[in-house]
Amino acid sequence: MSHILQHPIAERLRSLLFGGRAHRGLLFNIVLYALLIAIGFVYLQPLLFMFITSMKSPNDLLNPMVQWVPSELFLGNYERAWRVLDYPDTLLTSIMMSIAPSLLQTIVASLVGYGLARYRFWGKPIIFALLLATFIIPPQNTVIPQMLTYRDLGLLGNPLALILPALLGQGYKSAIFILIFYQSFISLPKVLEESAQLDGASDVRIFLTIAVPSALPAYIVAFIFSVVWYWNETFLTVIYLEGGLTTLPMQLSRFTQAYENLYPPGTVNIFDRLNEAVKMSGTFLNILPLLVMYFILQRWFVESVEMTGITGE
Amino acid sequence: MTMRRLFRRGISLRAREALHGYAFILIWIVGFSIFTLLPLIQTFFYSLNQVTVTASSINLSFVEWGNYTRALFTDPNFIELLIGYTIETLVSVPIVLIFAMIIALFLNLKFKFKDLFRVIFFLPIVITSGPVIRELTAQGAASAPGIADLPAVVDFLTQLPRALRTPVEYLLTSFILILWFSGVQILIYLASLQKIDKSIYEAAAIDGASGWEQFWKIILPSLSTATIVNAVYTIVTLSHFSENQVIRHIYDQTYDVQGGIGYASAMAFIYFAVMILLLGIVYFFLVQWAKRSGQ
């Protein structure tokens, strides 16, 4: 038996299957791809489910034979979801209400990160502890007084309600962005700065001409993540903007109600009642802009770690 | 001009550096005071009062710890929701960590179509928002397909003691949902993996260490910091998630005639305390583990 295993062909077969020192075996690769595909499916399945359900006509929904392949291309759900979501308006609001705070948040976070990374001063550990605290403290522990103050100032429903905290470095998940900038500025060689200082450049000038250009990837990554998180944030957005502005996720969260306002259940026939296909169309329309953005900018998400030099501390 | 020169000469270089540093972070300190510290104190103050809000004013009547005792001893739902949240978090954190670590290990390898898989694995970062998750869960797209409904599984579940059944049931019904919370964690693990010096692997391979041994002896210890960061991140994200049952309950009580702002604030602080406790426990265990595996 053993001499068969030592035969050159058996040896090569073994190396092919189980791999050797320099390469991975076929078996390993099969297992690897099987797992990758299985996990990939776990992530894609809800999206696929959402997309396919959104294409189903009322007949397909009732037909138990139709699971994964709708019998016809049916866009009626999208037509309705589009109207219920008031799509162009809410889309524009969502874009504005995620880009404006994100821009401010990114700029302010970079200033704070720079201050923490490049200057020695008393109390830095305290600042870091407080940063961590802002990340941990649940929003419902601070939101009520803020809301009441905004109400007194007449700022509820006003874009400023989201913009002001971002402007003062207290935007959504701002601690993470400050740490990203801290990480990327701390790896900047001090020599550049010192030579600029000798040339008489002011601190602001050094920041703008040396630090900012060198941390450009960090700016882009921070801005993109900030936009995504602001877009998806609904707890604070609902409380601050309710009654004034309506973002896409806000409208989605009251989809049923909005649908019944447009199509009162008593007056439309049974096929025009709200069903899961319409809901899934609405959900899909809600994430579509993010999906488009993700596929265009995917490199910045996927390689964000390498680009910003986050080290995981 | 002379004033400025005097000023400059008057303070040391060290102090000037500190001042410039403070100038950069001043905006954050102001923001922290206005938007975090002050509201936090005020919320705590509310939690000790019965708060009634009218169109023009806010009326307070001091009730000491009344709101807290009501939440802990009288409220029929709050404690149950809190226990549910604790169990769910303790079940989810290890799954997210292990899952994120496995994916990061995969993505650290070289293989064909790697870019495609990376794009798929980071999708949850983009999509995970409250309303979307709610719609997907409502349509049954978030559970491991059909497993929880299999007769054999149902039988098995009824055999389990209640303390064990809840976590297992949660695991089966929300498995996909849990995995959807691991996008950023994969990124953090990947960053740590890429920092490991390649020559360590080579040295280990020459010494005859298998891939399996390399994982336990080299890779896992060097991921300990990332694991702690990820655990904290996971707990915070799950606890802040707007579809979280406890948060929904607190939110509903805020606008409730029976509850009101004072009561909601008290619950918010109890919830915060439980969350800190969870963070503390997980942090403590992971630090112990990191110390042991580091030696």
Side-chain angles (χ1 to χ4, degrees), chain A residues 108-147:
Chain A
V108 173
S110 77
L111 281 170
V112 178
Y114 185 76
L116 287 170
R118 306 307 278 184
Y119 294 90
R120 279 169 301 173
F121 51 82
W122 181 87
K124 224 187 257 187
I126 301 176
I127 300 285
F128 276 111
L130 295 180
L131 263 179
L132 189 65
T134 61
F135 179 61
I136 292 175
I137 296 170
Q140 65 271 17
N141 283 56
T142 54
V143 74
I144 297 169
Q146 279 187 57
M147 182 194 72

Side-chain angles (χ1 to χ4, degrees), chain A residues 149-206:
Chain A
T149 314
Y150 280 149
R151 192 188 71 151
D152 292 345
L153 298 173
L155 285 179
L156 276 184
N158 189 307
L160 279 177
L162 281 184
I163 287 175
L164 280 178
L167 184 65
L168 293 177
Q170 305 295 312
Y172 189 54
K173 294 197 185 189
S174 61
I176 293 180
F177 300 112
I178 293 174
L179 289 179
I180 289 178
F181 282 110
Y182 174 78
Q183 287 286 349
S184 60
F185 285 132
I186 209 156
S187 56
L188 196 70
K190 212 141 187 154
V191 190
L192 283 172
E193 228 170 76
E194 278 159 4
S195 67
Q197 240 161 14
L198 286 177
D199 291 344
S202 70
D203 292 41
V204 176
R205 215 186 135 83
I206 293 173

Side-chain angles (χ1 to χ4, degrees), chain B residues 64-134:
Chain B
E64 251 175 77
W65 301 98
N67 288 324
Y68 287 86
T69 49
R70 183 181 156 196
L72 289 174
F73 304 117
T74 335
D75 193 315
N77 302 319
F78 185 61
I79 288 293
E80 200 149 315
L81 289 174
L82 217 50
I83 293 171
Y85 153 79
T86 311
I87 292 173
E88 285 177 19
T89 309
L90 289 178
V91 170
S92 305
V93 169
I95 295 176
V96 168
L97 291 183
I98 292 169
F99 184 74
M101 196 184 282
I102 291 173
I103 300 226
L105 285 169
F106 281 159
L107 291 181
N108 203 33
L109 298 171
K110 283 197 180 70
F111 55 88
K112 269 184 198 153
F113 308 117
K114 184 169 159 179
D115 292 345
L116 176 73
F117 282 111
R118 286 210 293 195
V119 170
I120 294 174
F121 292 165
F122 292 134
L123 256 179
I125 297 181
V126 188
I127 311 172
T128 315
S129 77
V132 170
I133 294 282
R134 182 169 356 128

Side-chain angles (χ1 to χ4, degrees), chain A residues 24 120 122 141 203 232 294, chain B residues 17 20 22 43 110 119:
Chain A
R24 290 198 299 266
R120 279 169 301 173
W122 181 87
N141 283 56
D203 292 41
N232 283 335
Y294 179 63
Chain B
E17 186 185 342
H20 287 197
Y22 285 133
T43 307
K110 283 197 180 70
V119 170

